[in-house]
């Protein structure tokens, strides 16, 4: 009944949605929405999702409509060894691929948004489905996350590569439209995506690249 009420309100409410950084009280809602979208078998437990948030409280963002969670964005700096295991860079890592959120975003794998630490960013965007504004909420997550990355860049925290995995047609379509390169691993159902910010020609990232160019030029002049 509670979920039906939320869906009704999201369907017919006027657009007053906001994008904001998640707080600890939001983690339960993020967990519940993940179960709703993906089922309970492949998502991390509430405790497993809370633990990395407590290590780095900047990894989750939400879109909220009338105090109801409409979607969330996970944006976590991860270690290079986690990247290698996501992408299956070698035969060794390919035999023990990371394939789910519970394996990738763990306290052991994530870093802080600090200069030199946030080179590799793992992304996951989830919005409620079956609503007239589902795609709008999804895009608000993406544009909001992009603004967060630009703000970090202005502080000297520059991301080099973005990574994502997807099992859904919408997720695959979005990743490709944003300029991500798909890395195919034969026999594995999880689609893997990588975006090299420095070399991408995606117009979506052009403003970010311009910010990075200006920062590097200023550093060159100073030195």
């Amino acid at each position: 009944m509670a979920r039906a009420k939320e869906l009704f309100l999201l369907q017919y409410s006027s657009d007053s949605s906001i994008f904001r950084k998640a707080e600890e009280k939001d983690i339960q809602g993020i967990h519940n929405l993940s179960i709703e979208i993906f089922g309970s078998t492949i998502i991390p437990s509430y405790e497993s999702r809370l633990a990395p948030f407590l290590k780095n409280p900047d990894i989750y963002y939400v879109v909220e409509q009338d105090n109801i969670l409409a979607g969330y964005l996970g944006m976590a700096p991860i270690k290079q060894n986690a990247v290698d295991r996501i992408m299956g860079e070698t035969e060794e890592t390919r035999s023990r691929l990371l394939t789910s959120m519970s394996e990738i975003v763990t306290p052991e794998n994530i870093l802080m948004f600090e200069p030199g630490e946030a080179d590799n960013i793992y992304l996951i965007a989830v919005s409620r489905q079956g609503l007239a504004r589902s795609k709008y909420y999804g895009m608000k997550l993406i544009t909001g996350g992009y603004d967060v990355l630009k703000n970090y860049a202005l502080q000297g925290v520059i991301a080099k590569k973005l990574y994502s995995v997807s099992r859904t047609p919408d997720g695959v379509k979005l990743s490709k439209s944003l300029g991500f390169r798909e890395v195919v691993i034969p026999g594995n159902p999880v689609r893997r995506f990588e975006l090299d910010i420095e070399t991408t020609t995606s117009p979506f990232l052009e403003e970010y690249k311009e910010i990075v160019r200006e920062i590097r030029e200023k550093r060159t002049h100073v030195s």
Side-chain angles (χ1 to χ4, degrees), residues 40 64 75 83 88 97 101 105 115 131 192 210 215 222:
S40 59
E64 191 176 65
M75 190 163 60
V83 171
L97 288 166
M101 189 77 170
V105 183
L131 302 172
R192 290 163 166 76
E210 182 61 30
I215 290 173
V222 170

Side-chain angles (χ1 to χ4, degrees), residues 55 77-84 107-111 120:
K55 179 180 179 180
I78 55 174
K79 296 178 180 179
Q80 184 61 49
N81 67 328
V83 171
D84 294 341
E108 296 76 22
N109 286 339
I110 66 170
L111 298 166
N120 303 308

